[in-house]
């Protein structure tokens, strides 16, 4: 992994030991691994999965292929169909470490068997977690930082959208129905035992993340982040890999200090940001809006970007929409790295620019992020008959500059 990331092995090992870098994997599937954290390239996560209204395993496996090509991690967020079968099929086809949200299955199984999602027992919830770990799940969203007291306050507040997290909402419903504390919070030490056994990563979920920019960094958002930081410290002491999930809908001017605040509170734990979305009005172009926020967050120090598709806030994404989303965020990750990693990342840009300046089209296109699509655009009116493209043709500035350089050098030599 050190060789792949271009860092010294000793330096990487120290960062892993400190908890500032994690190797997302499961000991049962050690070859499916992604390194996330300080000094490493910004990674992109791809969410897929069925819904209660659309269950098409073939389509989800097509999305897995797209994730394998473009992503670094993959999450199965399925809520419809045979969840065990779907998860195992996705893990089998994925070349990437796979994550899940186990609360979904505990809630849905309870609804099917008992007629209510909040009827699952604590043991049933932990049984689902352990089943996912046995299947080879490498990381899970665990909404352990939302307490019953904090959830009730959020529900009573004047937030624009009180709760936007699906898994968080299911867990909050359980707390209210059972008049009990969040079992993932109350039994955090047991959660740590389970994950330590498989060397899997806990992703501390943000049940109270802002679902509207107006709710960003309110008392509930920040209070949950503070509690997450406490849980990070306990996880590190127990030898468990951990990262923190972040917002959410956040105004552009708050994104940088959101990352700085999280890193300060957690002593540099890897930050897994959902977007962030700097506007609420972009659907069906949330992948573009999200990529803007993601590039800023990544440059500020966020480590793993959870992609957003054009279908966000509107429906289940198609394979094509999944690809559009992940490419947008792959670009955002690279933009972030040109700031975060400097010359190490900028070398790619410089290489492409040198080829472009010399009108070396094939060489340039082969080094772009999507050469196949770039070539299709370059030749969409037929392969150009002149050295310039079909936009400038014979008036290409690079072509004219090369002629001017020859003239200037000739005059100087004369």
């Amino acid at each position: 992994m050190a060789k792949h990331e271009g860092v010294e092995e000793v330096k990487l090992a120290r960062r892993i030991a400190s908890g500032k870098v994690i190797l997302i994997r499961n000991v049962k599937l050690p070859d499916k691994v992604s390194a996330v954290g300080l000094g490493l390239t910004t990674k992109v996560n791809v969410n897929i999965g069925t819904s209660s209204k659309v269950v098409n395993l073939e389509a989800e496996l097509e999305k897995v292929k797209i994730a394998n090509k473009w992503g670094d991690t993959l999450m199965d967020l399925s809520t419809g169909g045979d969840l065990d079968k779907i998860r195992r099929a996705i893990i089998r086809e994925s070349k990437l470490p796979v994550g899940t949200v186990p609360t979904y299955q505990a809630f849905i199984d309870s609804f099917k068997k008992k007629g209510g999602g909040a009827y699952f027992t604590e043991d049933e919830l932990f049984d689902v977690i352990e089943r996912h770990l046995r299947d080879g799940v490498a990381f899970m969203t665990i909404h352990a930082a939302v307490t019953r007291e904090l959830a009730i306050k959020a529900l009573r507040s004047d937030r624009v959208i009180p709760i936007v997290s699906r898994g968080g909402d299911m867990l909050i419903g359980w707390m209210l129905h059972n008049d009990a504390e969040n079992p993932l919070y109350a039994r955090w030490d047991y959660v740590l035992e389970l994950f330590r056994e498989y060397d899997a990563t806990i992703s501390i979920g943000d049940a109270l993340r802002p679902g509207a920019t107006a709710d960003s960094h309110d008392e509930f958002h920040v209070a949950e982040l503070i509690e997450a930081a406490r849980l990070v410290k306990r996880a590190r002491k127990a030898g468990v890999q951990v990262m923190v999930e972040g917002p959410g809908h956040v105004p552009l001017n708050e994104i940088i200090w959101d990352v700085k605040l999280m890193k300060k509170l957690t002593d540099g734990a890897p930050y897994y940001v959902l977007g962030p979305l700097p506007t609420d009005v972009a659907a069906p172009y949330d992948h573009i809006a999200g990529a803007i926020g993601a590039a800023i967050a990544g440059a500020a120090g966020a480590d793993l970007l959870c992609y957003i598709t054009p279908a966000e806030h509107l429906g289940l994404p198609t394979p094509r929409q999944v690809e559009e989303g992940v490419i947008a965020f792959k670009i955002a990750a690279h933009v972030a790295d040109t700031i975060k990693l400097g010359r190490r990342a900028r070398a790619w840009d410089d290489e492409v620019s040198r080829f472009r300046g010399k009108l070396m089209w094939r060489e340039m296109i082969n080094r772009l992020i999507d050469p196949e699509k770039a070539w299709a655009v370059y030749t969409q009116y037929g392969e150009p008959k002149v050295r310039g493209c079909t936009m400038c043709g014979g008036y290409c500035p690079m072509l004219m500059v090369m002629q001017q350089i020859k003239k200037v050098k000739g005059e100087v030599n004369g």
Side-chain angles (χ1 to χ4, degrees):
M1 192 56 67
K3 183 179 179 181
H4 176 73
E5 291 287 339
V7 299
E8 297 175 9
E9 287 184 29
V10 172
K11 186 178 289 186
L12 181 61
R14 286 174 181 163
R15 290 172 181 171
I16 293 170
S18 70
K20 294 178 181 178
V21 167
I22 54 176
L23 295 183
I24 300 180
R25 64 160 199 161
N26 183 308
V27 290
K28 299 195 70 174
L29 300 170
D31 293 335
K32 298 180 181 182
V33 59
S34 187
V36 173
L38 179 65
L40 308 182
T41 54
T42 307
K43 304 302 190 299
V44 176
N45 176 72
V46 180
N47 285 341
I48 67 169
T50 62
S51 76
S52 60
K53 300 299 181 184
V54 182
V55 180
N56 184 336
L57 181 55
E58 184 178 337
E60 297 311 314
L61 294 181
E62 184 65 28
K63 296 173 187 177
V64 173
K65 292 178 184 178
I66 294 166
N68 286 340
K69 178 179 179 181
W70 293 103
D72 301 290
T73 60
L74 169 66
M75 288 201 83
D76 170 26
L77 305 183
S78 293
T79 56
D82 185 333
L83 299 184
D84 289 330
K85 176 184 176 182
I86 293 167
R87 180 179 64 258
R88 289 162 186 163
I90 287 172
I91 292 173
R92 189 164 54 247
E93 296 299 319
S94 176
K95 297 178 182 179
L96 311 173
V98 174
T100 58
V101 185
T103 302
Y104 290 179
Q105 185 162 12
F107 185 93
I108 293 164
D109 286 353
S110 173
F111 196 90
K112 289 179 179 178
K113 295 174 183 177
K114 305 177 183 181
Y119 296 160
F120 63 86
T121 66
E122 290 187 17
D123 287 342
E124 286 171 337
L125 173 60
F126 289 110
D127 285 346
V128 169
I129 292 173
E130 191 162 15
R131 192 188 318 161
H132 286 210
L133 289 167
R134 285 198 305 268
D135 285 346
V137 172
F139 66 108
M140 293 183 214
T141 296
I142 302 293
H143 295 95
V146 56
T147 63
R148 182 177 180 276
E149 179 184 6
L150 187 57
I152 290 173
K153 287 181 179 179
L155 291 171
R156 289 173 175 168
S157 73
D158 59 357
R159 269 187 152 198
V160 174
I161 303 178
I163 310 291
V164 73
S165 164
R166 184 165 60 186
D169 190 49
M170 290 174 175
L171 203 55
I172 289 168
W174 184 93
M175 286 187 266
L176 295 176
H177 174 78
N178 294 281
D179 192 22
E181 184 55 272
N182 180 352
L184 299 173
Y185 172 79
R187 298 175 65 182
W188 183 241
D189 290 336
Y190 182 52
V191 174
L192 298 178
E193 286 181 28
L194 292 173
F195 278 80
R196 184 170 57 241
E197 181 179 350
Y198 293 86
D199 196 28
T201 295
I202 295 174
S203 182
I204 301 178
D206 46 354
L208 301 181
R209 68 178 181 268
T213 51
D215 298 329
S216 177
H217 296 107
D218 63 8
E219 60 177 297
F220 314 108
H221 175 185
V222 175
E224 186 179 27
L225 177 58
I226 291 171
E227 193 56 60
R230 296 189 182 109
L231 296 176
V232 165
K233 293 176 184 177
R234 290 171 60 185
R236 283 173 170 168
K237 287 181 181 178
V240 176
Q241 299 197 97
V242 63
M243 62 181 171
V244 177
E245 292 184 16
H249 292 240
V250 178
L252 204 66
N253 64 311
E254 296 182 13
I255 291 175
I256 292 176
W257 62 259
D258 174 271
V259 177
K260 301 298 183 185
L261 174 64
M262 179 274 171
K263 291 286 184 176
K264 177 69 174 177
L265 289 173
T266 65
D267 190 25
Y271 200 14
Y272 173 29
V273 292
L274 314 178
L277 271 169
T279 180
D280 303 339
V281 304
Y285 304 103
D286 276 329
H287 61 307
I288 298 173
I292 293 169
I296 293 172
D303 308 283
L304 178 60
L305 310 176
C306 187
Y307 89 143
I308 295 173
T309 77
E312 187 77 11
H313 299 116
L314 298 172
L316 190 75
T318 64
R320 177 58 191 157
Q321 290 165 339
V322 165
E323 187 164 44
E324 289 177 22
V326 68
I327 292 174
F329 273 68
K330 200 70 176 178
I331 294 168
H334 175 66
V335 171
D337 286 344
T338 62
I339 305 303
K340 187 159 57 179
L341 304 180
R343 295 294 306 170
R344 207 166 106 207
R346 281 280 303 282
W348 182 15
D349 297 73
D350 293 343
E351 184 182 17
V352 168
S353 293
R354 280 192 290 271
F355 287 135
R356 181 177 293 138
K358 295 177 182 178
L359 297 180
M360 299 172 67
W361 293 104
R362 290 184 182 276
E363 292 83 353
M364 182 199 82
I365 289 173
N366 286 338
R367 290 295 293 133
L368 295 173
I369 197 165
D370 191 348
E372 184 179 351
K373 187 168 183 179
W375 186 258
V377 172
Y378 175 66
T379 59
Q380 61 190 351
Y381 297 105
E383 192 165 346
K385 304 300 182 183
V386 294
R387 289 190 67 186
C389 70
T390 54
M391 178 68 183
C392 294
Y395 303 112
C396 174
M398 274 84 79
L399 183 61
M400 289 190 284
V401 163
M402 283 189 278
Q403 294 169 345
Q404 291 160 358
I405 289 174
K406 287 180 181 179
K407 182 178 180 181
V408 170
K409 284 185 176 180
E411 289 177 353
V412 172
N413 291 335

